[in-house]
């Protein structure tokens, strides 16, 4: 009888231990899933994954303007990746730009923004990268930077003067939704890395919403990047649609933002996208950068002339030949399909580089869960000379109600040469 009792007791203990183990495993799985979601919010995949290579194995070439930086392998491979990192070392790399061996990272890794990530989220990210990512045994090429940026220890001085490693701080009066949106935009989303102007040392001139230059627009690899402050021409729903699908009723993504939507924002929960939109709408807008000296052609005058198709300028003729089939003589496009040109921020920007990029190289929306179809605008670099591209861009920037400055043939030539160099 004692043996039978002991057997039942051992069985009961085993079942209890199994239940505890199952609960622990479920907790780990939940933590891994949370870390995976946060990695999407941080857009880690876009930079640490190269075309044709496994996810997070690094090797993506990033043109810093001072040389090429290759992203690192952040898979849990113990020799080639971060498999030997402790959580403290992982945190130091993510939030302070210091590798486990003490080497300084370049701020192409947006650690000044990631400094705002909470301890709890760092723990979830660490768990995901150690348990939820497949290890890859490959070492990316070494970065090649020009002097003095090739001196890694010099980044310590850069950090002293320019890196803000303060944790996230909410502003007085923020609702829970706005606080969540601010945390995502200022921290994991690192939106300021592209949308905040940079100084002579490639430092972001502002780090949070308490500073007027934060998210006020900038320049990225020859692209004019728009301000996100207030976004007065878009509703909160327009912002959510854009981040979730890569398009809304007036615009579509292009350039680097296509990758952000593909790898990051299209995977976020709707409530998080709504929080981000709510936060951006609280920021005071930047004054229009359009030239006050340019008098728009006027909507009626532009539509009438394009419709009549008589006595056209070179830019007007090129628009009818290349653009009107999709954007129409009204410049209004088709909601959710062909972007609006009349009044568009990219068209009226003081710097015409983003518009010229789209004209020459085209654009392609990503396939997302909510908008699986891919919309493609062809590039016209092969069929337009520098003179023609300049004339077309000038017409678009001054037709209808647009009021931006003239584009020169020299500007097109310089941008085209840069694009050819990148390819």
């Amino acid at each position: 009888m004692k043996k039978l009792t002991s057997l039942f007791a051992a069985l009961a203990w085993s079942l209890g231990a199994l239940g505890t183990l199952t609960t622990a495993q479920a907790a780990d799985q939940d933590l891994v899933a949370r870390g995976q979601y946060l990695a999407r919010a941080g857009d880690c995949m876009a930079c640490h994954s190269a075309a044709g290579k496994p996810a997070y194995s690094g090797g993506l070439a990033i043109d810093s303007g001072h040389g090429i930086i290759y992203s690192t392998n952040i898979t849990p491979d113990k020799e080639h990746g971060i498999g030997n990192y402790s959580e403290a070392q992982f945190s130091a790399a993510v939030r302070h730009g210091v590798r486990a061996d003490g080497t300084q990272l370049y701020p192409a890794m947006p650690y000044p923004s990631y400094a705002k990530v909470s301890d709890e989220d760092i723990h979830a990210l660490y768990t995901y990268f150690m348990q939820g990512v497949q290890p890859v045994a490959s070492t990316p090429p070494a970065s090649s930077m020009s002097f003095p940026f090739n001196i890694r220890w010099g980044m310590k001085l850069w950090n002293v003067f320019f890196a803000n490693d303060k944790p996230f701080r909410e502003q007085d009066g923020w609702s829970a939704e706005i606080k969540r949106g601010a945390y995502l935009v200022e921290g994991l989303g690192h939106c300021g890395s592209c949308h905040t102007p940079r100084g002579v040392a490639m430092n972001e001139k502002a780090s949070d919403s308490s500073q007027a230059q934060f998210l006020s627009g900038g320049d990225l690899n020859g692209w004019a990047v728009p301000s996100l402050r207030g976004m007065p021409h878009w509703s909160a729903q327009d912002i959510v649609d854009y981040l979730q699908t890569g398009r809304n009723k007036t615009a579509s993504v292009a350039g680097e933002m296509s990758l952000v939507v593909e790898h990051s924002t299209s995977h976020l929960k709707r409530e998080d996208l709504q929080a981000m939109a709510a936060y951006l709408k609280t920021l005071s807008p930047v004054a229009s950068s359009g030239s006050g000296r340019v008098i728009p052609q006027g909507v009626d005058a532009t539509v009438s002339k394009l419709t009549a198709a008589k006595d056209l300028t070179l830019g007007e003729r090129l628009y009818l030949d290349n653009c009107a089939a999709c954007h129409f003589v009204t410049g209004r496009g088709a909601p959710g399909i062909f972007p609006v040109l009349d009044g568009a921020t990219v068209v009226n920007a003081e710097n015409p580089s983003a518009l010229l990029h789209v004209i020459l190289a085209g654009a392609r929306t990503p396939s997302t869960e909510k908008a699986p179809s891919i919309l493609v605008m062809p590039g016209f670099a092969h069929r337009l000379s520098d003179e023609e591209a300049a004339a077309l861009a000038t017409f678009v920037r001054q037709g209808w109600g647009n009021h931006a400055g003239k584009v020169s043939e020299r500007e097109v030539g310089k941008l085209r040469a840069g694009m050819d160099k990148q390819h």
Side-chain angles (χ1 to χ4, degrees):
M1 186 67 178
K2 287 184 179 180
K3 290 183 178 180
L4 186 60
T5 302
S6 298
L7 179 63
F8 279 121
L11 180 60
W13 182 89
S14 298
L15 290 174
L18 180 61
T20 302
L21 181 62
T22 303
T23 301
Q25 289 175 333
D28 280 349
Q29 290 174 353
D30 289 344
L31 194 59
V32 168
R34 175 169 171 74
Q36 182 178 28
Y37 180 81
L38 294 169
R40 285 291 192 183
D43 203 14
C44 306
M45 186 176 291
C47 287
H48 288 277
S49 304
K53 301 291 181 63
Y56 299 120
S57 63
L60 181 71
I62 302 169
D63 187 352
S64 69
H66 299 284
I68 301 299
I69 299 171
Y70 289 94
S71 61
T72 54
N73 181 337
I74 57 172
T75 73
D77 184 89
K78 292 185 179 297
E79 180 179 354
H80 305 274
I82 60 172
N84 289 320
Y85 275 51
S86 67
E87 185 169 333
Q89 290 170 329
F90 177 83
S91 176
V94 172
R95 296 198 282 199
H96 305 292
V98 181
R99 294 194 321 205
D101 62 3
T103 303
Q104 299 290 142
L105 295 173
Y106 291 112
M109 162 66 174
Y111 58 85
S113 296
Y114 291 163
K116 297 181 173 66
V117 179
S118 68
D119 292 343
E120 294 79 7
D121 285 350
I122 286 291
H123 178 60
L125 283 165
Y126 178 75
T127 303
Y128 166 63
F129 279 106
M130 292 303 168
Q131 299 181 24
V133 174
Q134 289 295 318
V136 179
S138 66
T139 300
S143 297
S144 177
M145 299 289 284
S146 61
F147 181 81
F149 300 98
N150 60 332
I151 304 175
R152 288 270 188 168
W153 61 261
M155 292 308 304
K156 293 182 179 180
L157 294 177
W158 189 93
N159 288 337
V160 169
F161 288 105
F162 302 116
N164 183 351
D165 61 356
K166 296 178 180 178
F168 173 72
R169 294 183 303 174
E170 64 177 293
Q171 303 294 319
D172 293 338
W174 277 355
S175 65
E177 180 183 46
I178 293 173
K179 178 182 175 181
R180 176 63 176 169
Y183 175 74
L184 290 169
V185 169
E186 295 182 8
L188 278 171
H190 63 281
C191 303
S193 294
C194 295
H195 291 273
T196 295
R198 292 183 177 264
V200 293
M202 298 305 293
N203 56 296
E204 294 172 41
K205 292 184 176 181
S207 59
D208 60 50
S209 61
S210 67
Q211 301 165 293
Q213 287 189 300
F214 184 63
L215 299 180
S216 63
D219 182 270
L220 176 68
N221 296 332
W223 279 73
V225 181
S227 166
L228 300 182
R229 296 187 64 86
M231 305 187 73
H233 301 297
W234 285 5
S235 67
Q237 186 60 53
D238 291 334
I239 298 172
V240 171
D241 291 343
Y242 188 83
L243 295 176
Q244 190 171 60
T245 68
R247 64 192 84 160
N248 59 29
K249 65 176 183 286
T250 63
S252 297
V253 294
E256 295 291 331
M257 195 62 199
S258 298
L259 296 177
V260 173
V261 172
E262 178 181 359
H263 295 297
S264 179
T265 57
S266 65
H267 299 270
L268 300 189
K269 299 174 183 176
R270 189 169 186 83
E271 53 264 37
D272 278 342
L273 296 178
Q274 290 171 333
M276 294 168 71
Y279 164 67
L280 293 175
K281 295 298 286 184
T282 68
L283 304 179
S284 56
V286 173
S288 173
S289 59
S291 173
R293 297 188 298 274
V294 175
I295 300 175
Q297 189 177 48
V299 175
D300 292 341
T302 302
V303 172
S304 296
K305 195 172 185 187
L306 292 177
T307 301
K310 294 180 179 179
D311 301 319
L312 299 175
T313 65
L314 175 61
E316 291 166 342
R317 178 178 63 78
L318 290 168
Y319 180 83
L320 283 179
D321 290 344
N322 298 285
C323 314
C326 296
H327 300 283
F328 309 130
V329 296
T330 60
R332 300 301 299 173
I337 304 175
F338 305 126
V340 171
L341 301 180
D342 184 14
T345 300
V346 68
V347 172
N348 288 281
E350 183 176 355
N351 182 346
S353 60
L355 175 63
L356 291 176
H357 262 285
V358 174
I359 290 175
L360 295 176
R364 179 187 181 93
T365 63
S367 176
T368 65
E369 181 181 353
K370 296 293 184 180
S373 60
I374 297 174
L375 303 180
V376 179
M377 173 182 160
F380 296 100
H382 66 289
R383 63 187 291 180
L384 296 180
S385 66
D386 292 349
E387 177 190 8
E388 290 171 330
L392 174 58
T394 296
F395 161 68
V396 171
R397 283 163 62 84
Q398 298 178 2
W400 305 286
N402 296 329
H403 51 84
K406 181 180 179 180
V407 177
S408 70
E409 184 177 343
R410 180 176 175 275
E411 287 178 292
V412 179
K414 182 178 179 181
L415 189 141
R416 192 195 296 265
M419 291 171 57
D420 291 343
K421 184 179 178 181
Q422 289 178 4
H423 293 86

